[in-house]
Amino acid sequence: MVQFNFKGITVVPSGKEMVDIILSRTQRQTPTVVHKGYAINRLRQFYMRKVRFTQQNFHDKLSAIVDEFPRLEGIHPFYSDLLHVLYNKDHYKLALGQVNTARNLISKVAKDYVRLLKYGDSLYRCKCLKVAALGRMCTVIKRIGPSLAYLEQVRQHMARLPSIDPNMRTILICGYPNVGKSSFMNKITRADVDVQPYAFTTKSLFVGHTDYKYLRYQVIDTPGILDRPFEDRNIIEMCSITALAHLRSAVLFFLDVSGSCGYTVAQQAALFHSIKSLFLNKPLMVVCNKIDLQQLNALSEDDKRLVDEMKAEALKTLQIGGDPNAEQQVLVTMSTLTEEGVINVKNTACERILDQRVEIKMKSKKINDCLNRFHVAMPKPRDGKERPVCIPQQVLEQRAKDQEVEKEKEKRKLEKDLENENGGAGVYSASLKKHYLLANDEWKEDIIPEIIDGHNVADFMDPDILERLEELEREEGLRLAGEEGDDFEIDGDNMTPEEREALNEIRKRKKALIQEHRIKKSTAESRPIVPRKFDKDRQFTTERMGRQLSGLGLDPSKAIERVRSRSVSRGRKRERSVAADGAGDDGMEIDNDGKGSNKRLRLRSVSRSRSRSRAPVEEVIPGEGFKDKEQKVKAIKLGKKSVKKRNKDARKGEADRVILNMMPKHLFSGKRGIGKTSRR
Amino acid sequence: MRLEKCWFCSSTIYPGHGIQFVRNDAKIFRFCRSKCHKNFKMKRNPRKVKWTKAYRRLHGKDMTQDSTFEFERKRNRPQRYDRINTEKVLQAIPKISKVKATREKDHITKRLSAGRVNRRAEDRRELEQSISLVKAPSVLKEDATLTLPKQKVTVSYAQTENTPMEE
């Protein structure tokens, strides 16, 4: 609000600047291209638009100025007076008036020229008209240039005025120059006012804020006032006077009792009396400053008298319901240097303001409405009996006990302390088993087994386990006794070892038979089936028969005899060589079981004394399949021939192969014409 | 520390062995080795897998009900340590396990004894039937026992020697 804060006013441009701004804006924001070939209407429109645009802008800007600057009638009289003091009311009004006139003039100019443009017949004429219009407008602005400059100055200064709220609780500090007003201000508020030894250090009003009883107070520091007739005062003094005159506040008149400000008490008293008219209806306090230099009691008679006069004046302003220490409220001493009595002064001043304001409020009509709403209820005492606080005994006891426990806790030794004593965290390990509650305290350090023989000990825990175990063992005994009887029954049917032997023999034989059969079965395809009498391998001999029969328990001799007597001699008489054998016995001559071999064949020609049971190789045996002797001889020859090469190569047979090249190149390399080569 | 039982084969799991599997319904499956674990993952039913205790119990191969099983029972309430009781228990455990072992052995023996009888009968039958493979019928007629025939061994005179010891 512009009420007391003038910071919101827009910048006032100087005349030249304004012209520049607006003309460039016109240039940019209106169409720029035009040709003389256009229709006349279009040309007219074009230029009319420009003129109107410029006029509009000027109008806006000037209106802004006029509106934003405060009207001196519309603001608080304090501010209007202050502004007057600072800037001269008339000058201010004149400037604003000029701006207003300029605005109207420009409008008029624009109107005229737009009318003229309506009848412009060529581009050139329209253009000239437009130029003229703009030129006239700019001249107007040029003429009010000084006013604009002044207004800018005013604006800048106004923005820096202190924001004083005229309705707030205010304390005003006044007095001669150099009495200590600014120092006092610095002491009670956070304002940092210049304090210097020369007079008129403070050149304008300064505002600070202070708190008292949860309320905010404004403190206004004024420039010093000299004792002069009113008309001779300068602007600076006039500021203070204005403030004094208009602000409804408490006034602290500062008195320098030591005279170190350069003015005597008498002069100060004279000033007081000259401006006391301004102190009407304001709580007044006379503050004697610098008492560290000069005590109040030690003053001279005249000075004392003057001070008393001032006090008397001040008393008048005090409320008529006066208290006993009224004098204290009116005349106070302090020293800003030693800070003695500063707070006291502040408090007193604040109190007095508060009282005054409350009084006023009480007297106004509005308060009566509110008063009805306040009511403090106090119960009336029924009788004169004293009723003190009643605490039950138990609670008191509990409280006492709690206190004891608290004390104990402080005295008790903690585990932490124990740890620290015994070497700290890494060294000492607390015995966690210390506080175990066991039936017998000796058991605290026991190592409890958890597992035994693949069982969990905890699963077996039972107080009467031993009794149950006994029972179990008894049962077991009974059971075992019972079971022994059963065993014997089963053993009844047992074989003798001989029978077992026989059984084993049977099984062996059976196995052998089965094996033989299996071999025969598997080779049946490739083996020729030759009847027994053409036994090539010479396995069906009497010896074998004899063995088998004796194995069965029979006597083979008769059977062998019979076989021998029946057998056909094989082409040659048997010549026995008795000498080779042992002493002749009854007849158990077991023939040599000789298999036909080449060796025998060769030997045959060498020794003829030994009996041969084999026929010569060329002799045709009926089962073999040869026609006659020649055929057999030829067949033998062919057979030998086929084997000769192999024998020469030291190969055992047809199957004995030698692969010279395990991986012939033609099989393991090369690409295929079609298909994959994933297998070789 | 506790010895647990394998869920699949019911053998004891010692510390540091095996795998524990916790299912989403918070049921815990413990396995003694990867064999059991893999079988479980294949969703095999231990009651159908021959070598597990579950199968053996179900099919009556091993002892199922016995008073010795009552001694070992998992208790969920912790008990206060009592040295005397613990000593008693430690003495009792080996005895109990011995009794249990003998009983299990006897159970199996009993089960297998029926087979023994059959086998014996079978042997006898075989012997009776196939005695002819090792003993000629005429020999059998003379010597009716089911044993191997007596072998006649010829001793040549040249081999006999006068032993001074014989009189």
Side-chain angles (χ1 to χ4, degrees), chain A residues 437 446 456 459 476 507, chain B residues 3 75 80-81 103 123:
Chain A
L437 304 166
D446 271 0
N456 293 307
D459 292 346
E476 188 68 9
R507 287 194 175 141
Chain B
L3 298 177
R75 282 145 240 265
R80 206 177 283 280
Y81 173 63
R103 284 196 186 177
D123 284 350

Side-chain angles (χ1 to χ4, degrees), chain A residues 263-476:
Chain A
Y263 307 96
T264 62
V265 178
Q267 286 171 307
Q268 294 179 47
L271 171 66
F272 178 84
H273 289 295
S274 61
I275 59 173
K276 69 182 173 196
S277 55
L278 292 168
F279 300 151
L280 239 53
N281 293 330
K282 297 191 176 75
L284 175 63
M285 269 172 68
V286 178
V287 180
C288 302
N289 200 10
K290 303 192 192 175
I291 55 161
D292 53 315
L293 295 171
Q294 171 85 19
Q295 287 286 338
L296 199 58
N297 335 21
L299 271 177
S300 63
E301 275 294 324
D302 297 330
D303 290 340
K304 235 190 233 171
R305 196 170 32 87
L306 289 165
V307 170
D308 284 335
E309 272 177 36
M310 282 199 277
K311 191 169 78 180
E313 274 295 329
L315 269 171
K316 278 191 220 159
T317 63
L318 193 58
Q319 304 307 336
I320 306 169
D323 353 16
N325 51 349
E327 302 230 333
Q328 285 299 325
Q329 289 207 351
V330 178
L331 182 70
V332 278
T333 58
M334 70 165 203
S335 168
T336 47
L337 195 66
T338 59
E339 293 187 34
E340 184 190 322
V342 171
I343 305 291
N344 181 35
V345 168
K346 176 191 128 188
N347 289 349
T348 329
C350 293
E351 273 293 334
R352 286 195 61 186
I353 295 176
L354 213 56
D355 289 338
Q356 191 211 29
R357 282 169 86 100
V358 167
E359 273 281 335
I360 291 169
K361 276 212 179 109
M362 292 288 284
K363 284 190 188 142
S364 75
K365 281 193 199 153
K366 277 197 233 165
I367 199 76
N368 288 331
D369 305 334
C370 302
L371 221 71
N372 294 334
R373 298 200 211 141
F374 298 134
H375 178 67
V376 179
M378 286 290 279
K380 265 202 283 195
R382 211 170 31 170
D383 50 21
K385 210 170 20 158
E386 275 277 315
R387 290 188 176 82
V389 173
C390 170
I391 303 175
Q393 188 61 28
Q394 273 208 338
V395 171
L396 286 171
E397 281 173 13
Q398 188 63 33
R399 279 195 198 159
K401 225 190 283 178
D402 286 342
Q403 277 186 350
E404 265 180 45
V405 170
E406 283 274 322
K407 277 198 210 138
E408 225 188 75
K409 265 200 195 146
E410 288 162 18
K411 280 192 249 158
R412 188 179 68 183
K413 190 172 192 190
L414 302 170
E415 283 290 334
K416 199 165 53 155
D417 301 331
L418 196 59
E419 184 184 68
N420 287 334
E421 276 172 30
N422 293 14
V427 178
Y428 171 80
S429 64
S431 159
L432 299 164
K433 302 186 179 184
K434 217 168 33 168
H435 298 291
Y436 277 9
L437 304 166
L438 299 175
N440 187 345
D441 281 339
E442 289 176 351
W443 300 343
K444 276 188 191 171
E445 300 298 323
D446 271 0
I447 302 169
I448 306 165
E450 292 168 37
I451 291 171
I452 178 169
D453 278 349
H455 300 286
N456 293 307
V457 172
D459 292 346
F460 283 84
M461 287 298 275
D462 200 353
D464 35 63
I465 190 168
L466 285 182
E467 290 92 54
R468 287 171 61 196
L469 176 63
E470 250 181 86
E471 234 182 82
L472 179 73
E473 295 200 312
R474 239 184 295 129
E475 257 180 53
E476 188 68 9

Side-chain angles (χ1 to χ4, degrees), chain B residues 2 5 39 93 99 120 136 157:
Chain B
R2 246 195 93 81
K5 292 266 175 246
N39 270 307
I93 290 178
V99 168
R120 291 224 174 98
Y157 284 116

Side-chain angles (χ1 to χ4, degrees), chain A residues 206-219:
Chain A
F206 285 95
V207 188
H209 296 272
T210 179
D211 294 314
Y212 178 73
K213 280 192 183 170
Y214 311 108
L215 290 170
R216 217 126 237 225
Y217 287 82
Q218 267 179 159
V219 184

Side-chain angles (χ1 to χ4, degrees), chain A residues 460 465-466 469, chain B residues 87-97:
Chain A
F460 283 84
I465 190 168
L466 285 182
L469 176 63
Chain B
E87 280 177 356
K88 287 188 196 165
V89 161
L90 287 173
Q91 285 171 5
I93 290 178
K95 297 185 188 159
I96 293 169
S97 33

